[in-house]
Amino acid sequence: MNRSKRLLRAGVLAGLLLAGAAARAAEPPLPDRDPHSYANPAQLRVTQVALDLSVDFKRKRLSGTSELQIAHVDPAARELLLDTRDLSIERVETSSDGKTWSKAAFQLAARDRVLGSKLSIAVPADAQRVRIRYTTAPQASALQWLTPAQTAGKRQPYLFTQSQAIHARSWIPLQDTPLVRMPYSARIRAPKNLRAVMSAEMHEQPAADGAWEFVMPQPIPSYLIALAVGDIAFRSTGERTGVYAEPSLLDRAAYEFAETEKTMELEEQLYGPYRWGRYDLLILPPSFPYGGMENPRLTFATPTVITGDRKLVSLVTHELSHSWSGNLVTNATWSDFWLNEGFTTYLTNRLNEAQYGLEFADMERVLGLQDLRDSEEQAEPADRVLVRATPAADPDEVFSSIPYERGALFLTWLESLYGRPAFDRFLRGWFDEHAFKSASTAQFLAYLDEHLIAQDRSKASAAQIDAWLHAPQIPAFAVLPRSDAFTQVESQRAAWLGGALATSALPTSGWAVQQWQHFLDTMPASVTPAQLQALDAQYGLSKTPNAIIASSWFRAAIAGGDQAVWPAAAQYLQHVGRMRLLGPIYRAWIATPDGRVYAQQTYAQARAGYHPIAAASVQRLFDERP
Ligand code: BES
Ligand code: ZN
C-alpha cells in the first residue's frame, strides 16, 4: 500500500471510529450500580480475577484465594465493596506491585437473605491488587456436591457450580454484577483421578504440581464463571467442538451432539464470527437444575436431552446462541434479563428453521407460546411484564418464560415489520457494536430507534414498543406462531377423548417429542383417569426413558386425577433435578389436598439430591398461596 492510500485508509478508519463514537454517544450510559449487588464499580472496579482453590469433597468446601486486580475509577475511593454469601473470609491483603502484600482491614456485613453479605475492604490509593483467603460453606448456593450414587459411574463424587444469576458470590468474593466484566484465570486442586473443567481455555493434563490450570482471556461477567470436578472424560466431535461427560455417557453424548459444529457455522453466517475459540459441552448428572447453562466455551447441559435421536438438541442451539446474545452482549442488570433470553430464544428459533426446517421450528415456537401463557397465569401481576418497574427482590424467584418468549415475540414482530434481511443486519450490528460489553434495555431501545425504526417510522409506534416492554400480556398486534403438526394432534386427541378413536389407534409412532409434549401439556380437563390409564397401558408412558415426555406425562396424569402414576412420578423426582421438569409435577400435586401431602413426602425424600437452587424453587411452590 502506498503512502497516500494508507493515509486515505487511516482517514476512512478515523471517520468510521468517529461515527461509531457518535452512535454510541446517542445511547444512554449504563447505570452505576446494580440493585442485586453491593459492588461500587463506578468507584473501584475489578478488572481481573485469579483463583487458586482446593476442592475438598469430604468437607464439601472450596478453599484458597481469589486475587482481584482493581481499577481506581474514582481516585478518591478507598473502599472496595464486594459480594459474598456464606463465605468465611480468613484474610485480606493488598498490593501495589503484586509482590509485596500488606494486610488490609475488612468488614463483613450481616447476611441479607437475597444478596448475601457485603464485604468492605479498605484499599490504599496505590493498591492494584486485592487478595482474599476464604472458604466456602457446605450449603453454598452455587455449589452442588454429589455423592457417587448420584453420578452415572457410581464410584466418584462430583461437584459443579451454577453461578447465574447471583450465586457466584457464594463461591468467589467478587463484584457479582453483569455490569462488571473481567478475564479470569484459575488453578484448581482436585483429588487425584478426578478432572476439573471450567468455562475457560483448558489443558488435557494438570500442571506438574497437580493443579488444573485455566485462562478465560476475554472479559466476561461473574455469572459465567463455572467449574465442575468429577470423573470426566472428553471426546472431540468436530473442529471446534467436543463433549465432556462421565466415561459411561461419552458415546451417547458424542452421537447426540455430533452436529454442533454445523449449528455454529449456520449461526456465524447470520450473526457474525463465533468469538470464543472452542465450543464444548459438559454433560452433567441428572440433578443439574437447568436444561443448559451457557458458560462460555463450555455449555453445561442436563443429560435429559440425550434421547438417542438428536431430537432435543435445540437446547444446545439455545446455549450456543448465548455466545452472541448474553455472553458477547450481556444484560447490564437482571432487570434486562430479556436481552439475554428473549434474543437467545429468537436466535434459536431462526437456527432451528435453518437447520431442521420450518415445521420443527414452529412446533418449538408454539411450545414456547404455551409456556408463556402458563407463565403469565402463574406470575404475580408485577412480574408479568418484560421489564419490571422496580427490580425483583430475587431474580430466581421471578424466573419464568416471559423474558424468553415474549422477548422473542417482540423481535419476531420487529422482523415482520422491517423484513428479515433488514432485521438480520440490524441484529448483527447490535452484536458487533456491543461485543464484549454489557447493555441495558434503554441502550437497546436507543439503538433500535436509530438503526431500525428510523428506516420507516410509520411501521412501529412508541406506544406499541411500550406495550411490548410494560404491558402484562402479549400485545394484541403480536405475530403468533402456528403449527399444523400440533393442530393434527389436537384433532386426533379430540377424537380419542370423545371415544371415536381407540387408544391404540392414536398415530403416535409418527409423533415428534414436541407433539407428545403438546398432546400432554394441553390435555383438556375432561380427560378421565380411565383414559389416562389406558394411555399408560398402551404407550408405557410412566416408564418412558425420555425425561421430557415423562415430565409432561406425570403432570398430565396427576392433573387428570390418575393416582396410579404417583409412585412412578415420585421415583422420577428422586433423580431428575431439572427445575423445568420437576416444577410442573409438584405444582400439579400441590393443586389437590391429597396430592399436596404426597408431594411433601416426595420432596422430603428427594430434597437431599437436589441442587440448592432447585430445592429453593420447590420449597417456594409449597410456600405459595394455597
Ligand atoms: N441462562 C439460562 C439458564 C438460567 C437462567 C440460569 C437464569 C440461571 C438463571 C439458560 O440459557 C437457559 O435458558 N436454559 C433453558 C434452556 C431452554 C430454554 C432451551 C433451561 O434450562 O430450561
Ligand atoms: Zn438461555
Side-chain angles (χ1 to χ4, degrees):
M1 206 182 324
N2 66 34
R3 188 163 179 274
S4 65
K5 261 204 191 138
R6 231 179 358 232
L7 275 178
L8 190 71
R9 215 177 92 169
V12 170
L13 269 179
L16 280 176
L17 282 174
L18 277 176
R24 271 194 295 282
E27 283 182 15
L30 288 178
D32 278 350
R33 307 276 299 228
D34 173 349
H36 292 109
S37 168
Y38 289 113
N40 58 340
Q43 279 84 46
L44 284 158
R45 176 177 285 255
V46 173
T47 57
Q48 207 164 311
V49 177
L51 299 172
D52 190 335
L53 297 173
S54 298
V55 183
D56 183 345
F57 278 98
K58 236 192 234 127
R59 302 169 78 173
K60 296 191 179 170
R61 60 185 219 184
L62 302 174
S63 60
T65 58
S66 165
E67 188 178 311
L68 311 176
Q69 281 189 34
I70 54 171
H72 295 252
V73 182
D74 170 0
R78 291 290 174 275
E79 194 181 37
L80 175 67
L81 301 181
L82 302 180
D83 296 296
T84 76
R85 183 188 292 123
D86 302 330
L87 298 182
S88 28
I89 306 295
E90 283 131 37
R91 187 175 9 165
V92 181
E93 296 156 298
T94 64
S95 171
S96 59
D97 57 7
K99 291 184 200 114
T100 50
W101 294 85
S102 34
K103 233 171 146 185
F106 68 91
Q107 202 180 358
L108 197 58
R111 182 187 199 272
D112 177 85
R113 180 183 69 86
V114 176
L115 300 182
S117 308
K118 173 168 74 178
L119 174 62
S120 323
I121 299 171
V123 291
D126 64 348
Q128 301 299 317
R129 290 167 202 241
V130 176
R131 187 163 68 195
I132 303 157
R133 176 162 292 282
Y134 69 100
T135 303
T136 63
Q139 77 278 12
S141 60
L143 306 181
Q144 188 173 14
W145 300 88
L146 300 181
T147 61
Q150 288 176 279
T151 67
K154 314 276 180 219
R155 304 177 67 132
Q156 299 285 0
Y158 201 105
L159 162 72
F160 66 89
T161 66
Q162 168 55 46
S163 296
Q164 195 182 12
I166 54 171
H167 301 287
R169 64 192 65 180
S170 76
W171 69 287
I172 312 172
L174 41 51
Q175 295 185 318
D176 194 12
T177 163
L179 282 173
V180 175
R181 316 177 68 98
M182 67 249 146
Y184 80 86
S185 63
R187 291 175 54 79
I188 305 290
R189 263 168 272 268
K192 257 214 226 67
N193 303 325
L194 298 190
R195 177 165 188 174
V197 293
M198 289 190 87
S199 53
E201 289 174 9
M202 304 200 240
H203 304 282
E204 278 291 310
Q205 296 295 331
D209 68 352
W212 295 89
E213 294 182 322
F214 305 92
V215 175
M216 166 46 75
Q218 289 119 328
I220 59 163
S222 55
Y223 77 87
L224 294 176
I225 306 181
L227 166 70
V229 179
D231 184 10
I232 297 169
F234 174 76
R235 167 112 21 109
S236 167
T237 58
E239 190 126 326
R240 295 175 290 180
T241 59
V243 289
Y244 290 87
E246 287 188 65
S248 66
L249 267 175
L250 207 53
D251 284 340
R252 288 169 58 214
Y255 175 80
E256 201 80 25
F257 304 116
E259 287 163 8
T260 307
E261 175 74 40
K262 173 87 190 142
T263 317
M264 290 177 81
E265 285 163 15
L266 289 168
E267 189 125 27
E268 290 182 301
Q269 283 167 25
L270 277 171
Y271 303 117
Y274 177 78
R275 300 182 212 223
W276 305 89
R278 293 193 57 81
Y279 180 74
D280 294 316
L281 291 167
L282 172 67
I283 308 305
L284 287 128
S287 69
F288 184 58
Y290 288 97
M293 176 65 217
E294 67 271 27
N295 298 315
R297 296 178 65 99
L298 184 65
T299 279
F300 283 24
T302 173
T304 60
V305 291
I306 302 181
T307 52
D309 60 9
R310 300 182 179 167
K311 287 287 160 51
L312 297 175
V313 297
S314 76
L315 176 108
V316 172
T317 309
H318 176 101
E319 305 313 336
L320 172 66
S321 297
H322 275 305
S323 305
W324 287 263
S325 46
N327 300 3
L328 192 61
V329 185
T330 304
N331 53 205
T333 70
W334 299 113
S335 303
D336 307 303
F337 186 52
W338 79 277
L339 288 181
N340 277 15
E341 298 299 346
F343 276 57
T344 296
T345 302
Y346 172 85
L347 263 53
T348 307
N349 290 335
R350 292 294 306 278
L351 264 289
N352 280 341
E353 245 182 66
Q355 200 165 9
Y356 310 114
L358 190 57
E359 178 171 82
F360 179 91
D362 280 342
M363 286 198 290
E364 290 280 314
R365 286 184 173 110
V366 174
L367 286 178
L369 179 61
Q370 188 59 42
D371 286 345
L372 173 55
R373 295 204 158 116
D374 292 347
S375 290
E376 285 178 353
E377 205 180 287
Q378 285 158 15
E380 300 294 331
D383 303 331
R384 285 185 200 150
V385 292
L386 207 51
V387 181
R388 296 168 44 105
T390 54
D394 178 349
D396 284 348
E397 266 170 37
V398 299
F399 180 83
S400 82
S401 289
I402 294 170
Y404 289 74
E405 301 296 339
R406 206 180 306 142
L409 286 177
F410 178 24
L411 300 187
T412 305
W413 174 74
L414 290 169
E415 180 206 309
S416 76
L417 298 179
Y418 292 90
R420 201 166 257 198
F423 192 67
D424 286 352
R425 276 195 301 278
F426 163 76
L427 272 189
R428 167 119 196 218
W430 166 253
F431 294 138
D432 283 345
E433 285 192 34
H434 298 80
F436 298 107
K437 294 196 184 118
S438 303
S440 65
T441 300
Q443 289 180 334
F444 173 70
L445 293 179
Y447 190 88
L448 173 68
D449 189 75
E450 182 175 338
H451 295 271
L452 195 69
I453 309 277
Q455 289 175 18
D456 184 347
R457 294 201 173 275
S458 70
K459 286 190 169 152
S461 73
Q464 285 176 310
I465 289 171
D466 188 65
W468 277 110
L469 296 173
H470 301 121
Q473 71 278 315
I474 309 169
F477 48 83
V479 185
L480 298 184
R482 289 177 24 87
S483 160
D484 291 339
F486 283 1
T487 312
Q488 278 167 24
V489 166
E490 283 162 29
S491 47
Q492 290 156 2
R493 185 180 59 197
W496 170 68
L497 286 170
L501 195 67
T503 308
S504 59
L506 280 166
T508 61
S509 60
W511 283 0
V513 184
Q514 289 80 4
Q515 284 173 294
W516 270 112
Q517 283 179 270
H518 184 69
F519 175 81
L520 295 166
D521 292 351
T522 59
M523 185 67 75
S526 65
V527 70
T528 65
Q531 285 172 320
L532 290 162
Q533 278 159 21
L535 207 58
D536 201 9
Q538 181 73 37
Y539 300 107
L541 293 170
S542 291
K543 293 188 225 92
T544 173
N546 184 310
I548 313 300
I549 294 177
S551 171
S552 290
W553 159 246
F554 289 131
R555 187 217 61 86
I558 292 167
D562 174 11
Q563 298 208 359
V565 303
W566 285 16
Q571 197 53 39
Y572 174 85
L573 293 171
Q574 297 303 317
H575 69 273
V576 174
R578 180 177 174 191
M579 292 187 279
R580 244 179 122 82
L581 301 183
L582 51 80
I585 302 176
Y586 279 111
R587 216 185 275 277
W589 263 330
I590 289 171
T592 70
D594 285 358
R596 187 184 172 88
V597 174
Y598 194 83
Q600 242 145 1
Q601 289 162 357
T602 304
Y603 177 52
Q605 282 172 26
R607 181 190 188 137
Y610 291 161
H611 190 284
I613 299 172
S617 82
V618 176
Q619 187 60 53
R620 274 196 297 277
L621 296 179
F622 288 109
D623 297 344
E624 269 171 17
R625 67 224 127 106

